[in-house]
Amino acid sequence: MRQVRRGRPAPSGQAAYGGVPQQPSYVDGAGHGGYDSGYNTGQVYGGPAGGVTGGPGGGAGYAPRPAPNWRRRIKVTSITVVTVLVVTTVGTYFWADSKLNRDVDLATVIDRPEKGEGTNYLIVGSDSRAGMTDEEKKKLHTGSAEGKRTDSMMILHTGDNGSTLISLPRDSNVTIPQFKGSESGKTRPAMGANKLNAAYSIDGPTLLVRTVEFNTGLHIDHYVEIGFAGFANIVDAVGGVEMDIPQDIKDTKSGADLKKGKQTLNGEEALAFVRTRYALAGSDLDRTKNQQKFLSALAGQVATPSTVLNPFKLYPTMGAGLDSLVVDKDMGLFDLADMFWAMKGVSGGDGTSMNMPISGSTGGNLQWDMAKVKQLVGQLKADEKVTVSGN
């Protein structure tokens, strides 16, 4: 018959929570050990002999969880954010820079006037239909004429005394001077009096720059050109441009059918608006004023936080614009940004917009007021505030 050997009583206070009381040891008559498994010493699941780990009267318990190192976390997060921004910015810069079409070499322009203060951009809107489908030509009312002509020409001067945007009417009566052929490289004789837009038709951007410089005496630093489709695509990419239309406009040639008042123009409507001339009392002079207003408003729309800070709008806008721009070989993204900010400044009142001063017309061509032109160019060269008024 088995006998029960009773152990010593547990120390005072140990049985409650600090440990497990000594359990009886079961042995047979021969003194062989029976069921124990460590319970008689309080060693449960590998815990210390004194009792269950973490009990009020037991051992040391679990180590306290360390407080988060917020300074380190903020530092790591800041470094990560800055790194991502730098990588994104650098990547965007090289992506955008690679999309610029630097096709115009101003180094081939001969007999150039001396450079003055500030920067002068020659901004050209051409009637290029390159890459447009027949459906797009019909939708945008562009027709299907071969070659390229200039629909608008402007000089934008940027400097320390605000910006000045000067439209050059396409029918301006100017002298097309001696020039070097853009393809042949041979010197060509002067062609005498002609319309300004004829220079572009004869030998493209470099002859246009040569003609503008010869007739104004103003050094052109950069050349920027955009075609029909590119213009419409940029407007659509920014979600349209709000304009206050001064009068009802209906023109079958440009496709314009607009009501007077504030409204948001999409790409198709905007292109029709800036091309309209026959429905306006002042014809080409009124058209150039509308072109100035619209381009300034467009630049302002592109430079808004809703566009710049929204990648889903910024990248399509940049892509649409950069793909369709033709610029000179020395044009950089910072130059392009300077141009847009200056145009935005003009629309915001920080600058002047005007037509080239006109004194009358000769055979249907507009004659510049050369006394005022000379004064205007002198102020631009010296980067002074423009006081000359245009038409």
Side-chain angles (χ1 to χ4, degrees):
M1 180 177 180
R2 293 184 175 179
Q3 297 179 349
V4 177
R5 178 179 297 172
R6 302 183 182 277
R8 292 178 297 176
S12 176
Q14 189 175 4
Y17 295 99
V20 178
Q22 183 81 16
Q23 299 298 312
S25 178
Y26 296 91
V27 296
D28 57 19
H32 297 292
Y35 183 76
D36 184 301
S37 299
Y39 278 97
N40 59 347
T41 61
Q43 297 176 353
V44 182
Y45 300 115
V52 179
T53 302
Y62 293 112
R65 188 173 184 177
N69 188 338
W70 289 109
R71 180 176 295 180
R72 183 176 181 278
R73 289 187 180 185
I74 292 173
K75 181 179 180 181
V76 171
T77 301
S78 299
I79 292 174
T80 301
V81 170
V82 170
T83 301
V84 170
L85 287 175
V86 169
V87 171
T88 302
T89 302
V90 172
T92 299
Y93 175 87
F94 284 105
W95 166 78
D97 188 71
S98 67
K99 295 179 77 65
L100 277 177
N101 301 307
R102 297 182 173 92
D103 297 337
V104 179
D105 187 3
L106 296 183
T108 63
V109 179
I110 62 174
D111 299 332
R112 309 193 68 186
E114 291 185 6
K115 179 175 171 54
E117 300 294 326
T119 303
N120 299 310
Y121 299 87
L122 181 59
I123 303 171
V124 175
S126 77
D127 65 358
S128 171
R129 300 158 178 84
M132 295 177 65
T133 64
D134 291 338
E135 183 179 351
E136 289 173 328
K137 293 176 184 177
K138 182 178 180 181
K139 178 183 177 182
L140 297 177
H141 300 270
T142 65
S144 299
E146 296 296 326
K148 292 196 302 182
R149 284 153 293 277
T150 50
D151 246 32
S152 63
M153 292 161 282
M154 303 178 190
I155 294 174
L156 174 67
H157 173 84
T158 65
D160 296 332
N161 287 290
S163 303
T164 304
L165 185 61
I166 309 163
S167 285
L168 310 175
R170 56 182 286 176
D171 294 338
S172 296
N173 191 63
V174 297
T175 297
I176 296 182
Q178 183 184 63
F179 66 97
K180 180 184 290 186
S182 59
E183 294 185 4
S184 67
K186 296 180 179 179
T187 301
R188 302 274 299 275
M191 297 184 178
N194 213 317
K195 290 183 178 182
L196 179 60
N197 66 338
Y200 185 95
S201 299
I202 293 169
D203 201 48
T206 53
L207 179 54
L208 179 60
V209 170
R210 165 74 172 133
T211 302
V212 169
E213 290 186 338
F214 179 84
N215 287 271
T216 63
L218 188 67
H219 181 93
I220 299 299
D221 298 289
H222 293 295
Y223 177 90
V224 181
E225 177 188 325
I226 186 168
F228 282 160
F231 180 85
N233 289 340
I234 293 175
V235 174
D236 286 334
V238 297
V241 176
E242 185 179 77
M243 287 293 297
D244 189 356
I245 308 298
Q247 66 180 74
D248 290 350
I249 298 176
K250 190 172 182 64
D251 184 0
T252 56
K253 291 185 178 295
S254 69
D257 188 4
L258 304 170
K259 298 298 182 182
K260 179 181 179 180
K262 286 188 177 181
Q263 54 201 283
T264 298
L265 305 183
N266 61 26
E268 179 183 349
E269 294 166 334
L271 182 60
F273 174 66
V274 299
R275 293 182 61 215
T276 294
R277 61 185 295 198
Y278 296 105
L280 305 176
S283 188
D284 201 35
L285 291 178
D286 282 350
R287 179 172 70 164
T288 56
K289 294 175 183 178
N290 286 341
Q291 290 170 345
Q292 290 178 347
K293 291 177 184 178
F294 186 85
L295 289 179
S296 295
L298 174 60
Q301 178 68 26
V302 170
T304 57
S306 63
T307 299
V308 176
L309 300 180
N310 182 355
F312 297 103
K313 185 180 286 188
L314 175 63
Y315 286 99
T317 301
M318 290 178 65
L322 297 173
D323 276 341
S324 56
L325 289 179
V326 175
V327 301
D328 64 273
K329 292 185 180 298
D330 294 326
M331 186 81 165
L333 291 179
F334 291 109
D335 298 311
L336 200 59
D338 174 66
M339 185 190 80
F340 270 97
W341 280 106
M343 292 183 70
K344 180 185 178 183
V346 170
S347 65
D350 184 23
T352 303
S353 60
M354 59 186 290
N355 276 321
M356 186 64 81
I358 302 295
S359 61
S361 63
T362 302
N365 295 348
L366 297 173
Q367 191 69 43
W368 291 355
D369 185 331
M370 294 311 298
K372 285 188 175 182
V373 170
K374 184 177 179 180
Q375 183 183 359
L376 171 62
V377 170
Q379 291 175 342
L380 294 178
K381 279 187 172 183
D383 195 25
E384 298 173 350
K385 184 174 180 60
V386 171
T387 60
V388 179
S389 60
N391 297 76

